[in-house]
């Protein structure tokens, strides 16, 4: 079971990184570089929590320390996109970088993140285009779609492992605790 990281306090900073599985092949004797695109692109999510008093930071410190040996679930926040009023959808069909959904796409926007839940595992994706009930997504689907999978738009989450095998907690002069961590998508 994955460890849930609590919602971040206001003033925290996040950054999201897409790690490509593509490989560039450069010929030794000149010629054009070729990029071989492969499946398996994954997200990394870096979080720097604003300084908090020790009592406020305990749930975060505990979850992060537990997450050193288990999967973690972390909410994904993207500036400029309000999640208020967002509704989850279900997939009717999909392959590659497109999915056909049931439910409304009226309040969805390009650049918005969602979690695709398949067999109890969350896969983070980004909306790249919207045409009626068909959404373009990035990265490509990582699992076969059978229909009925849930797309979590209201509360997208990344599921993965904390980067590294240690976690440091910084305690300031006035007892404020500073935390930062990175989650790498597991699948």
């Amino acid at each position: 079971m994955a460890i849930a990281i609590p919602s971040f306090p206001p003033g925290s900073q996040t950054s999201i990184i897409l790690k490509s599985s593509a490989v560039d092949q450069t010929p030794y004797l000149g010629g054009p570089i070729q990029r071989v695109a492969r499946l398996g692109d994954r997200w990394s999510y870096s979080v720097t929590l604003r300084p908090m008093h020790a009592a406020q930071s305990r749930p975060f410190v505990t979850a992060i320390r537990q997450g050193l040996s288990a999967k973690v679930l972390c909410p994904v926040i993207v500036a400029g996109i309000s999640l208020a009023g967002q509704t989850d959808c279900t997939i009717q069909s999909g392959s590659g970088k497109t999915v056909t959904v049931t439910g409304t796409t009226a309040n969805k926007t390009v650049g918005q993140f969602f979690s695709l839940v398949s067999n109890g595992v969350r896969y983070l994706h980004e909306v790249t285009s919207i045409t009626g009930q068909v959404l373009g997504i990035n990265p490509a689907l990582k699992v076969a779609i059978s229909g009925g999978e849930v797309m979590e738009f209201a509360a997208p989450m990344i599921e993965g492992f904390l980067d590294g095998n240690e976690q440091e907690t910084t305690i300031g002069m006035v007892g404020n605790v500073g935390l930062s961590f990175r989650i790498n998508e597991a699948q």
Side-chain angles (χ1 to χ4, degrees), residues 16 18 40-44 71-74 76 91 96 99 112-127 137-145 149-153 155-160 184-187:
I16 191 156
L18 180 60
D41 295 351
R42 295 174 188 212
W43 296 99
S44 281
K71 274 187 179 180
V72 295
L73 278 174
C74 183
V76 174
I91 294 180
V99 292
Q112 182 175 3
F113 287 88
F114 66 91
S115 304
L116 167 64
V117 182
S118 179
N119 295 323
V121 178
R122 284 175 174 80
Y123 302 90
L124 189 63
H125 292 278
E126 180 180 24
V127 176
I137 63 170
N138 191 36
L141 290 169
K142 300 174 188 176
V143 292
I145 298 299
E149 289 86 351
V150 175
M151 299 168 69
E152 299 175 328
F153 282 94
M157 301 188 87
I158 185 168
E159 181 174 341
N184 297 315
E185 198 171 28
Q187 298 181 8

Side-chain angles (χ1 to χ4, degrees), residues 3 63-70 72 161-167:
I3 306 299
I64 291 168
R65 288 183 178 157
Q66 287 178 318
L68 288 174
S69 59
V72 295
F161 295 102
L162 291 174
D163 195 33
N165 57 5
E166 59 185 31
Q167 184 60 44

Side-chain angles (χ1 to χ4, degrees), residues 20-185:
S20 175
S21 294
V23 176
D24 290 341
Q25 295 181 339
T26 306
Y28 289 109
L29 300 174
I33 296 173
Q34 295 180 346
R35 176 161 288 173
V36 179
R38 299 184 296 182
L39 296 176
D41 295 351
R42 295 174 188 212
W43 296 99
S44 281
Y45 191 57
S46 295
V47 178
T48 302
L49 299 175
R50 69 162 173 77
M52 297 176 278
H53 294 291
Q56 293 173 306
S57 69
R58 282 189 196 110
F60 295 99
V61 171
T62 301
I64 291 168
R65 288 183 178 157
Q66 287 178 318
L68 288 174
S69 59
K71 274 187 179 180
V72 295
L73 278 174
C74 183
V76 174
I77 299 168
V78 179
I81 297 178
S82 173
L83 298 179
Q86 289 292 329
T87 56
D88 294 343
C89 296
T90 56
I91 294 180
Q92 185 176 17
S93 63
S95 65
K97 290 191 171 191
T98 60
V99 292
T100 304
V101 301
T102 58
T104 182
T105 59
N107 58 354
K108 309 300 185 251
T109 183
V110 171
Q112 182 175 3
F113 287 88
F114 66 91
S115 304
L116 167 64
V117 182
S118 179
N119 295 323
V121 178
R122 284 175 174 80
Y123 302 90
L124 189 63
H125 292 278
E126 180 180 24
V127 176
T128 59
S129 66
I130 304 170
T131 308
Q133 297 300 108
V134 178
L135 301 179
I137 63 170
N138 191 36
L141 290 169
K142 300 174 188 176
V143 292
I145 298 299
S146 58
E149 289 86 351
V150 175
M151 299 168 69
E152 299 175 328
F153 282 94
M157 301 188 87
I158 185 168
E159 181 174 341
F161 295 102
L162 291 174
D163 195 33
N165 57 5
E166 59 185 31
Q167 184 60 44
E168 179 181 353
T169 304
T170 306
I171 301 174
M173 294 295 287
V174 293
N176 287 339
V177 177
L179 293 170
S180 61
F181 57 91
R182 175 181 280 189
I183 298 170
N184 297 315
E185 198 171 28

